[in-house]
Amino acid sequence: MGAIFILIPALVILYLSIVIVQQGNVAVITIFGKYSRIMTPGLNFKIPFIEFVFRTISIQNRSAELQFQAITNDQANVYFKAMLLYTVTDNSEDQIKNVAFKFIDQANFMQALVRSIEGSIRSFVATKKQAEILGLRNEIVDDVKANLDHILNGWGYHLLDLQINDITFDEEIVKSMSRVVASNNLKAAAENEGQALLITKTKGAEADGNAIRISAEAEREAARLRGQGLAQFREEIAKGMAVAAAEMEKAHLDPSIILFSLWTETMRQVAQDGKGNVIFMDGSVEGFDKTMKQMMALNQNSENKQKK
């Protein structure tokens, strides 16, 4: 019977001496309210009634959802939804002591952490305009991390990540921003259409100018060729007349007959190729005599020029 009375208290003392710390946690031990040591995961022993487990601290990553409001430089309300990821800096004794004794409990720590993040974001947003906020998501996160890292290190924590999942504005601001975007899109479309029309007009003008230039060059070349043909035609006529005149002199005939023949051929050609034109010709003897004299005078004038 006496052995039972000894065994039961021994078992109670042994039970009270055993401390099992779960993986990913660290137990903080105090003696009469003063920090003594830490216990790592696994089976540990403490002195019953003297050592107490003050707090079990998780060294795993923790997350928290945040919702808060900020005001921009141009007095627009911005609403943020963010996800915070943080953890204990490491499981060293100094860091565990910071985590265990800096705050009364976890709720007070979370309140200080959330308010610090909100204050950092609000101070950053207060320097920006509403139109800039949506494009500064990464800059906001970087600014918060830079401001809070040293503060959290003093508390024994490290900020792993801050993700801003949603940024919204008041309904009126959203509507006005939509109108601005729509008007900018219309402006860009009008500018693009204007540029396209300008390009079309420019290309059309260039094409017309090229066509006119090509046509003018073709006309100039045609005129040159016509002039060359006419000159060659006149040269051939002159050669033919010279040969005919020489033959007439050999036959002791009047060279004016050649002029008469050319004149009659000309009249026949005019009558043949004419298209409804009325040509009056003096067919009388006086008229013919007058024409012959004029032609002989032209011939005589040409000979005098050649002699000179």
Side-chain angles (χ1 to χ4, degrees):
M1 182 67 67
I4 294 175
F5 285 108
I6 296 174
L7 181 60
I8 291 175
L11 291 175
V12 172
I13 292 173
L14 179 61
Y15 175 77
L16 295 175
S17 300
I18 295 174
V19 177
I20 298 176
V21 180
Q22 297 295 326
Q23 185 68 36
N25 294 274
V26 175
V28 178
I29 304 300
T30 60
I31 297 178
F32 302 119
K34 183 178 180 181
Y35 171 79
S36 174
R37 59 193 175 94
I38 62 174
M39 291 182 179
T40 57
L43 179 61
N44 297 271
F45 295 93
K46 65 182 180 66
I47 303 173
F49 309 109
I50 296 177
E51 291 185 329
F52 295 91
V53 177
F54 175 75
R55 184 174 298 168
T56 300
I57 298 172
S58 173
I59 58 175
Q60 296 173 310
N61 293 343
R62 310 180 198 182
S63 64
E65 292 286 343
L66 307 179
Q67 294 185 17
F68 51 90
Q69 174 190 356
I71 300 177
T72 63
N73 187 36
D74 48 358
Q75 302 303 308
N77 291 321
V78 188
Y79 303 93
F80 292 91
K81 289 183 179 180
M83 191 279 291
L84 176 65
L85 184 64
Y86 65 99
T87 185
V88 175
T89 304
D90 54 56
N91 59 354
S92 65
E93 186 174 3
D94 291 338
Q95 296 297 341
I96 296 300
K97 287 173 64 177
N98 281 335
V99 173
F101 298 106
K102 283 290 184 180
F103 294 92
I104 296 177
D105 52 26
Q106 188 66 19
N108 281 272
F109 163 72
M110 283 302 302
Q111 183 179 18
L113 178 61
V114 171
R115 293 293 181 264
S116 297
I117 293 175
E118 289 182 1
S120 180
I121 292 179
R122 284 171 177 168
S123 63
F124 181 87
V125 172
T127 63
K128 307 298 179 182
K129 295 184 180 296
Q130 62 173 353
E132 302 175 308
I133 296 301
L134 292 177
L136 296 176
R137 190 186 302 261
N138 293 333
E139 286 76 2
I140 294 174
V141 172
D142 293 339
D143 184 75
V144 171
K145 287 183 176 181
N147 292 334
L148 291 184
D149 263 348
H150 67 282
I151 297 176
L152 290 178
N153 284 334
W155 297 346
Y157 289 94
H158 172 60
L159 180 63
L160 296 176
D161 192 17
L162 175 66
Q163 297 180 6
I164 298 178
N165 301 318
D166 193 14
I167 300 176
T168 58
F169 299 89
D170 289 334
E171 185 177 357
E172 291 298 325
I173 295 177
V174 173
K175 290 181 179 179
S176 65
M177 292 174 67
S178 299
R179 290 195 296 269
V180 170
V181 172
S183 63
N184 289 335
N185 290 337
L186 291 174
K187 179 182 178 181
E191 290 178 352
N192 291 335
E193 290 177 359
Q195 291 292 333
L197 182 60
L198 176 61
I199 293 173
T200 302
K201 293 289 186 181
T202 302
K203 294 299 182 181
E206 291 178 355
D208 292 342
N210 291 333
I212 294 173
R213 179 177 57 80
I214 293 172
S215 177
E217 291 178 353
E219 182 65 26
R220 184 171 64 251
E221 181 66 16
R224 186 180 65 82
L225 294 176
R226 285 196 297 269
Q228 289 180 354
L230 182 59
Q232 291 177 358
F233 173 71
R234 290 174 177 174
E235 182 180 355
E236 292 298 326
I237 290 177
K239 291 179 180 179
M241 291 181 63
V243 173
E247 292 296 330
M248 294 291 288
E249 288 180 0
K250 291 180 180 179
H252 302 290
L253 297 175
D254 191 351
S256 60
I257 296 176
I258 299 175
L259 297 176
F260 176 74
S261 177
L262 289 174
W263 182 74
T264 55
E265 285 293 329
T266 300
M267 294 300 104
R268 184 178 67 81
Q269 189 69 28
V270 170
Q272 182 178 350
D273 296 336
K275 297 180 181 179
N277 296 323
V278 180
I279 300 175
F280 295 95
M281 300 177 58
D282 189 356
S284 64
V285 177
E286 291 80 4
F288 177 72
D289 183 61
K290 182 180 179 181
T291 302
M292 289 297 295
K293 287 180 179 180
Q294 290 175 349
M295 295 177 68
M296 291 177 67
L298 290 173
N299 185 36
Q300 185 65 33
N301 188 23
S302 178
E303 291 180 354
N304 292 334
K305 287 182 178 181
Q306 290 178 358
K307 289 179 180 180
K308 291 180 180 180

